[in-house]
Amino acid sequence: MTKRKISRSNVWIIAGMAVMAIMLFIFVQRPVFSKTDSANDPIATVNGEPVQINEFQRAVQANKARVIDYFYEKYGAVQSASFWNASYGGEVPIERLKKKALEESVNLKIQQIIAKEQGVLTDIRYSVFLQNLSDENERRKKAIEKKEVVFGPAQYTEDAYFEYVMTNAILSVKKRFMEHDWKPDEHQLKQFYETKKSELYEAPAAVNVRLLSISFPKADSDENEMLKAQAKQKIEAASSKILGGMSFEQAAKEIGPDGQVTEQSYSLDRFRHNAASPVAQAASMLQAGEISGIIEENGRFFLVQCLENVKAGSRYLSFDTVKDQALKDYIDDRYAEYVRQRVSEAKVVVNDQLYKPFQM
């Protein structure tokens, strides 16, 4: 038999092929965990309902910035390669983040369970949510191709669709509770108003004024300059009479058809808006009964009389004024308390095999 001489280059080729074969074998034999697979592994259950990895990771991202701020403000800790697993005063950022994310995940799951109990959501498994997201995006894609009207985004992201579903589910749950179980009578609503008025129904800081004004033309000619000067003389005369005790209404009559009396309220919280208005600026400086000097704004001369200067926290909006809002706030408050109660009673089972080693 004739022996063939193998060249060094052929040896390297054969060796390379062997290494590739081994790597291929390892690759094929090694299990591959896809995003979908991991999403189906519950990191915890809440009353038997799974909290899947995707749900937990969303809560992690939602709380990440708050945890970073907490460690910076309390310990002066800044982000670094070791930040999440370092100990600061016995606290470890990743452990605090996991705890907060779990608490938020449990809270959300309880709200989903309530929505399911009320017939608002039929299936609260995350895999079903993802399928619904896929179906909705496919529907939107086809509608756009057919030139049909589509409200909202052309395609939902996972986070945006989750927010959309949960917001609408919670609104529907509150509506059902209000219609059947939680609708307050007048006495209950007034009690709620009295309890919450310092928190929810403070009258905003504002100044209420009476205005006497007279218009003048834009001064782009000698004639208009003269008319403007005449208007100013009239309001100066009115100012003297008002300071002498004449009412704004009588002063306006003496000015003639150009004289105008109105009432206006300026919010003292709208700093940027008020800064552009000399009248609002002057009004904000007056106390009840005080009268301003002559102010020019937008082609008119003004006199301002303060009727009332309402300081922040000095009074409350009346019950009749806020009755509709108070009903909404009452239902929101009942719902928040109900969720807190259900969370406190929930049976939460944590999957330590996934929770303990979880890292950023």
Side-chain angles (χ1 to χ4, degrees):
M1 180 182 291
T2 305
K3 294 183 179 180
R4 296 178 57 188
K5 190 173 182 180
I6 301 175
S7 68
R8 181 175 295 180
S9 61
N10 286 338
V11 170
W12 283 112
I13 291 172
I14 293 170
M17 291 175 66
V19 171
M20 288 179 64
I22 292 169
M23 290 180 66
L24 181 60
F25 174 81
I26 293 172
F27 179 78
V28 171
Q29 294 299 313
R30 183 180 179 183
V32 178
F33 298 99
S34 69
K35 182 179 179 182
T36 304
D37 292 330
S38 63
N40 289 330
D41 294 334
I43 199 164
T45 58
V46 181
N47 294 347
E49 294 284 355
V51 174
Q52 294 170 324
I53 291 291
N54 294 46
E55 297 174 272
F56 183 72
Q57 287 175 330
R58 174 180 292 104
V60 166
Q61 290 303 315
N63 286 276
K64 183 178 175 181
R66 285 192 287 271
V67 170
I68 292 171
D69 289 344
Y70 170 83
F71 279 89
Y72 177 74
E73 291 171 7
K74 188 171 182 178
Y75 301 108
V78 295
Q79 287 194 77
S80 65
S82 61
F83 170 77
W84 289 106
N85 293 290
S87 177
Y88 302 94
E91 294 188 275
V92 180
I94 187 62
E95 296 304 322
R96 183 178 179 86
L97 178 58
K98 285 157 60 176
K99 182 176 181 289
K100 294 296 181 184
L102 183 61
E103 289 172 354
E104 185 168 307
S105 297
V106 170
N107 186 286
L108 271 171
K109 189 57 63 179
I110 285 294
Q111 293 188 74
Q112 291 174 339
I113 290 171
I114 293 170
K116 185 178 179 181
E117 292 169 350
Q118 293 298 314
V120 173
L121 297 176
T122 57
D123 195 323
I124 59 175
R125 290 175 297 171
Y126 204 75
S127 56
V128 173
F129 162 77
L130 291 175
Q131 184 59 54
N132 291 340
L133 169 61
S134 178
D135 293 344
E136 176 62 20
N137 279 339
E138 183 62 24
R139 183 192 71 78
R140 287 171 175 268
K141 179 182 176 183
K142 289 179 179 178
I144 291 171
E145 289 172 352
K146 294 177 182 177
K147 309 297 183 185
E148 295 174 355
V149 176
V150 172
F151 296 100
Q155 293 283 282
Y156 276 109
T157 64
E158 189 174 319
D159 286 344
Y161 191 61
F162 186 84
E163 186 70 24
Y164 169 79
V165 170
M166 284 304 301
T167 298
N168 283 285
I170 291 169
L171 287 172
S172 296
V173 166
K174 289 178 180 178
K175 185 173 183 292
R176 290 182 182 229
F177 277 136
M178 184 181 72
E179 291 172 349
H180 299 102
D181 302 311
W182 292 350
K183 189 171 184 178
D185 58 28
E186 190 84 355
H187 176 69
Q188 288 174 312
L189 197 56
K190 282 185 176 178
Q191 270 193 324
F192 175 81
Y193 164 81
E194 290 295 334
T195 302
K196 297 287 186 178
K197 67 181 183 181
S198 61
E199 177 185 342
L200 299 175
Y201 308 119
E202 277 190 358
V207 58
N208 303 317
V209 298
R210 180 181 289 118
L211 305 172
L212 170 64
S213 67
I214 182 172
S215 64
F216 56 83
K218 185 178 179 181
D220 55 1
S221 67
D222 291 342
E223 182 181 357
N224 286 347
E225 285 283 4
M226 181 183 67
L227 292 173
K228 180 178 179 180
Q230 290 174 353
K232 189 169 185 181
Q233 287 175 355
K234 287 181 180 181
I235 202 162
E236 285 173 343
S239 176
S240 296
K241 292 176 181 178
I242 287 170
L243 291 174
M246 181 179 285
S247 69
F248 269 46
E249 288 74 15
Q250 183 59 39
K253 286 181 181 179
E254 293 198 4
I255 287 175
D258 293 336
Q260 185 178 21
V261 176
T262 57
E263 292 190 1
Q264 179 71 40
S265 179
Y266 295 100
S267 171
L268 299 182
D269 296 329
R270 300 179 65 188
F271 301 109
R272 185 173 297 179
H273 175 81
N274 292 345
S277 168
V279 172
Q281 287 278 297
S284 68
M285 304 297 291
L286 299 175
Q287 298 302 313
E290 290 183 340
I291 298 171
S292 72
I294 296 168
I295 305 161
E296 180 180 338
E297 181 180 322
N298 295 334
R300 302 187 77 85
F301 289 117
F302 289 88
L303 284 176
V304 183
Q305 181 183 36
C306 178
L307 302 176
E308 184 181 31
N309 194 318
V310 181
K311 304 299 182 183
S314 63
R315 72 175 191 181
Y316 306 105
L317 300 171
S318 70
F319 173 73
D320 290 337
T321 302
V322 299
K323 188 174 180 179
D324 290 341
Q325 182 61 44
L327 176 59
K328 179 182 179 300
D329 294 337
Y330 174 86
I331 298 301
D332 289 346
D333 190 72
R334 284 289 301 267
Y335 177 78
E337 181 56 36
Y338 183 56
V339 171
R340 282 193 293 270
Q341 176 194 334
R342 292 289 299 268
V343 168
S344 70
E345 297 170 352
K347 182 180 179 181
V348 180
V349 179
V350 177
N351 182 350
D352 284 337
Q353 289 184 329
L354 290 177
Y355 180 80
K356 284 186 176 179
F358 184 90
Q359 293 292 322
M360 290 296 296

